[in-house]
Amino acid sequence: RMMIEGHKMSVAYFDLAPQPDFEKYVKDYSDFLVARGEPPLTCTRALTVEELLPKCDVVSIHTALNEHTKHTINAARLGLMKPDGVLINTARGPHVNEADLVAHLKANPTFVAGLDVFEEEPAMAPGLAECHNAVIVPHIASASLFTRGGMATLAAANVAGLLQTYPIWSNSSDVKPFLEGPVSGIPKMCPSIVNAAGVGLSK
């Protein structure tokens, strides 16, 4: 959404399943722009990564890391991207084969990579730090006031909830009730204990 609203970019995405809510959001925003005399935006789903990459000016990775997504971006797929393309990885470092990326950056000086995470974090692949077409930051993509403030609020709510024997919040993927509104309105529950089962807590 940041790319859509911030840069008025059309979006192509790859996902194993269609994302109708996201596609509707893009259509609604496009209609809003058109009504104000601006160009429309589009949102299309690619059926494979190989179909997606040649279409995109900017490729941003947002996926979980597992045995199927490790090295999603390798030499072959980098070769499918535009010569002046931009690759952004703020997800997990091993999504990108860093040795392949270094070679691609050196061979394609108009290609740019923006990395917040690294394959062998905190180490970087040899040669990456010397690539002038790589923008490298130390895993700080979450460093906004809202995000860090929210993390602190959730941690405090977890501690307070455990001390008062509150139950575990049933939907840990939706913690907005703990982050919006006054402190007095925070639910009397523990919002986000990822390892609850492992420490003997039940929902």
Side-chain angles (χ1 to χ4, degrees):
R1 293 188 178 190
M2 204 179 301
M3 291 181 175
I4 296 164
E5 294 185 21
H7 301 281
K8 296 184 173 64
M9 297 172 68
S10 290
V11 175
Y13 72 95
F14 168 73
D15 200 315
L16 296 177
Q19 299 297 318
D21 290 345
F22 178 65
E23 291 180 17
K24 182 179 183 303
Y25 159 78
V26 176
K27 182 184 182 307
D28 289 347
Y29 188 65
S30 177
D31 291 345
F32 167 81
L33 292 176
V34 169
R36 282 152 183 78
E38 298 191 50
L41 302 179
T42 61
C43 179
T44 56
R45 176 179 171 235
L47 298 180
T48 66
V49 175
E50 287 73 16
E51 177 190 346
L52 177 75
L53 295 177
K55 298 178 177 179
C56 298
D57 298 308
V58 178
V59 173
S60 186
I61 302 170
H62 304 272
T63 186
L65 178 64
N66 56 45
E67 65 273 18
H68 304 293
T69 60
K70 182 177 181 180
H71 288 178
T72 294
I73 301 298
N74 54 26
R77 286 177 168 167
L78 286 165
L80 295 174
M81 293 183 65
K82 295 181 178 182
D84 59 349
V86 177
L87 175 68
I88 299 171
N89 186 12
T90 59
R92 292 290 181 263
H95 288 311
V96 177
N97 183 316
E98 261 181 40
D100 289 354
L101 177 61
V102 170
H104 192 78
L105 288 167
K106 289 180 176 179
N108 298 274
T110 59
F111 187 89
V112 177
L115 305 175
D116 182 56
V117 289
F118 307 97
E119 188 171 1
E120 300 292 341
E121 198 165 310
M124 293 184 287
L128 180 59
E130 289 71 47
C131 290
H132 297 294
N133 46 344
V135 178
I136 300 166
V137 293
H139 207 147
I140 58 169
S142 67
S144 68
L145 288 174
F146 174 80
T147 302
R148 292 296 170 89
M151 291 164 66
T153 299
L154 293 175
N158 276 332
V159 172
L162 283 173
L163 291 174
Q164 297 179 76
T165 66
Y166 290 163
I168 306 297
W169 184 246
S170 59
N171 184 8
S172 60
S173 63
D174 180 14
V175 292
K176 286 183 180 178
F178 294 86
L179 304 176
E180 298 175 346
V183 173
S184 59
I186 291 178
K188 296 186 183 305
M189 305 190 87
C190 301
S192 181
I193 300 180
V194 178
N195 63 335
V199 295
L201 299 172
S202 58
K203 293 184 178 181

